[in-house]
């Protein structure tokens, strides 16, 4: 357990999706510095994880940008606010103190003492979808790897890749095309049926690699496994044609993507309605004072799960949090076009 002193912060943003990032910006305009935590290794939430290359058409004044471009623009926009990111860690506990501030801890032991907290957790933490076969978890991290895991060399190994999207097909092709020294003994791509959500061009490349014998595709599901001396040796398959077979397996790579889990948020004393946090529509505050919820994670009458709605919620929540952070300072709305104070904060003042 990390015994280090907690990081003191005026604001903690949980979730670095588009709404969490814009929350940082609005807090920054009010001179509220913040730390940001996300369970993923990079900012962007659903935009980065689920549709990085798909076009978005309903961001005001941006006729079209991809999910990845939106995140890049938000990161550029918030750079002057100098947020400090704590990635690849999930916020696991959040407990209010008597003075209203919060003790917060993450899965990697980082601790915060935060005066205000903004839950921008979207549909929850993204976790890799695991292979569920009785007892196979003993090989996790040794011979069985999932989305996001660092993997060992596959040279000389019988490798099986499970999956059917671009990430799975590209991973199988990369292994099949490896240089002589790094080449696996065999590469098998496995999916329960011969149909893929990967881009058609990727599927064509996969089929071409199968045609020349560099890669093998099997339409099957793993229903069992075998081992010798605690080393995984093969998978038992239920084939699409109803037969069963055995597949030599030294390295099993499960690329079934990520699935969102609301996770520990449910334990933080907030009121939930269908797994979403109930907030008011003036401050976007939960029933716990100083604890705000913005973006896809919240609910209120008329809620729409759209990025533009999340941006509004983040703006309102930032203004509502300011009196908690600066109790003696009146909160004023200022324009970024004309305010010299805001120009200094944004680093665009002539003397900046
Ligand atoms: P998210 O983007 O879900 O980000 C939440 C982040 O919080 C995640 O990174 C997660 O890892 C993190 N997190 C959660 N819990 C924890 C925890 N305990 N500790 C640490 N981190 C945590 N919207 C539009 O407006 N226009 C569109 O065209 C559009 N297209 C879409 C297309 C697709 C395919 C999908 C799936 C969605 C689309 N959306 C669109 C919806 C839009 O992506 C969401 O409304 C938006 O991502 C919500 O942003 P958010 O920041 O609230 O949450």
């Amino acid at each position: 357990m990390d015994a280090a002193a907690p990081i003191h912060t005026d604001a903690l943003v949980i979730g670095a999706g588009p709404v969490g990032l814009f929350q940082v910006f609005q807090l920054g305009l009010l001179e509220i510095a913040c730390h940001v935590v996300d369970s993923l290794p990079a900012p962007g939430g659903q935009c980065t994880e689920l549709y990085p290359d798909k076009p978005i058409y309903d961001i005001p004044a941006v006729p079209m940008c991809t999910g990845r471009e939106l995140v890049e623009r938000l990161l550029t926009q918030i750079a002057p606010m100098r947020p400090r990111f704590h990635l690849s860690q999930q916020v696991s506990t959040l407990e209010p103190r008597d003075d209203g501030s919060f003790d917060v801890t993450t899965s990697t032991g980082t601790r915060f003492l935060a005066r205000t907290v903004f839950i921008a957790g979207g549909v929850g933490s993204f976790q890799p979808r695991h292979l569920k076969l009785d007892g196979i978890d003993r090989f996790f991290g040794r011979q069985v790897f999932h989305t996001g895991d660092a993997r060992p060399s596959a040279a000389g190994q019988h490798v099986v890749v499970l999956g059917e999207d671009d990430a799975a097909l590209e991973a199988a092709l990369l292994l099949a095309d490896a240089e002589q020294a790094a080449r696996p003994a065999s590469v098998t791509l496995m999916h329960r049926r011969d149909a893929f959500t990967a881009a058609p061009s990727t599927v064509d490349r996969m089929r071409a690699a199968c045609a020349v014998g560099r890669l093998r595709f099997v339409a099957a599901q793993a229903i069992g496994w075998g081992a010798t001396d605690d080393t995984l040796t093969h998978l038992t398959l239920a084939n699409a044609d109803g037969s069963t077979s055995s597949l030599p397996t030294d390295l099993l790579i499960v690329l079934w993507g990520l699935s969102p889990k609301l996770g520990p948020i449910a334990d933080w004393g907030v009121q939930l309605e269908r797994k979403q946090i109930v907030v008011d529509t003036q401050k976007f505050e939960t029933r716990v004072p100083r604890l705000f919820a913005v973006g896809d994670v919240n609910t209120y009458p008329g809620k729409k799960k759209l990025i533009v709605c999340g941006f509004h919620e983040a703006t309102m929540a930032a203004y509502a949090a300011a009196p908690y952070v600066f109790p003696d300072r009146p909160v004023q709305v200022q324009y970024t076009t004309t305010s010299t104070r805001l120009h200094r904060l944004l680093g665009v003042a002539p003397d900046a």
Side-chain angles (χ1 to χ4, degrees), residues 7-336:
I7 297 166
H8 288 243
T9 180
D10 285 339
L12 181 71
V13 178
I14 301 172
V19 178
L21 296 179
F22 196 64
Q23 186 68 70
V24 170
F25 184 71
Q26 288 296 337
L27 289 167
L29 290 182
L30 293 164
E31 296 179 63
I32 302 173
C34 64
H35 288 252
V36 185
V37 183
D38 202 297
S39 51
L40 292 171
Q46 293 174 54
C47 299
T48 307
E49 283 308 312
L50 303 182
Y51 56 101
D53 300 314
K54 285 202 165 67
I56 310 175
Y57 299 99
D58 57 351
I59 304 298
V62 182
M64 194 285 277
C65 70
T66 64
R68 185 183 286 115
E69 284 164 352
L70 177 69
V71 172
E72 281 165 5
R73 288 176 193 205
L74 283 165
L75 287 170
T76 303
Q77 190 173 27
I78 69 174
M81 309 314 179
R82 296 194 182 89
R84 275 140 297 176
F85 285 96
H86 307 262
L87 300 171
S88 300
Q89 47 195 302
Q90 186 187 43
V91 172
S92 38
T93 67
L94 179 145
E95 281 167 23
R97 288 189 174 190
D98 288 343
D99 68 1
S101 61
F102 299 93
D103 284 304
V104 179
T105 59
T106 76
S107 52
T108 57
T110 312
R111 295 164 59 210
F112 299 93
L113 179 56
R115 297 174 81 180
T116 58
V117 174
F118 299 79
I119 305 173
V123 281
S125 288
F126 288 101
Q127 309 284 340
R129 284 195 178 89
H130 280 172
L131 174 65
K132 293 194 178 97
L133 272 184
D134 234 9
I136 194 126
D137 48 336
R138 79 186 61 176
F139 304 109
F140 285 8
R142 287 198 288 138
Q143 288 181 273
V144 179
F145 297 87
H146 293 86
T147 303
D149 289 345
R151 300 195 290 262
S153 159
Q157 315 249 357
H158 293 292
V159 185
V160 179
V161 178
L162 304 189
E164 53 72 46
D165 62 3
D166 278 300
L169 270 59
E170 291 291 358
L173 283 165
L174 203 65
L175 288 160
D177 292 341
E179 286 178 4
Q180 186 73 34
R183 193 164 296 161
S186 69
V187 185
T188 306
L189 175 71
M190 187 163 108
H191 178 51
R192 64 180 190 286
R193 55 200 181 95
D194 189 348
F196 306 90
T197 59
S201 59
T202 315
V203 177
D204 289 347
R205 281 167 45 229
M206 183 275 287
R207 292 203 195 284
C210 290
V212 295
R214 280 188 292 120
L215 182 64
R216 183 175 164 229
F217 171 70
V218 288
Q221 271 180 285
I223 53 169
W225 54 271
T228 307
D229 296 336
D230 209 27
T231 300
L232 180 70
T233 53
H234 66 273
L235 292 177
T236 307
L237 309 187
N239 298 302
D241 63 8
S243 63
T244 56
S245 58
S246 175
L247 180 66
T249 308
D250 303 315
L251 189 59
L252 178 59
I253 303 172
V254 185
L255 297 180
W256 286 343
L258 302 161
S259 73
K261 298 251 176 332
L262 188 60
I265 291 173
D267 303 327
W268 297 344
V270 293
Q271 183 190 347
L272 291 176
E273 218 173 81
R274 291 196 199 149
K275 295 194 181 169
Q276 267 133 6
I277 302 174
V278 176
V279 290
D280 66 74
T281 51
Q282 186 187 354
K283 300 177 173 179
F284 296 90
E285 199 169 20
T286 69
R287 72 176 172 195
V288 181
R290 296 172 182 247
L291 181 59
F292 299 84
V294 292
D296 277 13
V297 80
N298 76 13
T299 188
Y300 52 85
K303 167 73 185 180
K304 304 283 178 286
K305 285 193 185 185
L306 287 170
I307 295 166
V308 68
C309 298
F311 287 172
H312 162 77
E313 295 159 16
T315 308
M316 300 297 278
Y319 276 92
Y324 290 129
V325 180
F326 304 115
D328 304 323
R329 193 197 286 181
V331 187
Q332 285 172 346
V333 174
Q334 291 188 322
Y335 294 137
T336 56

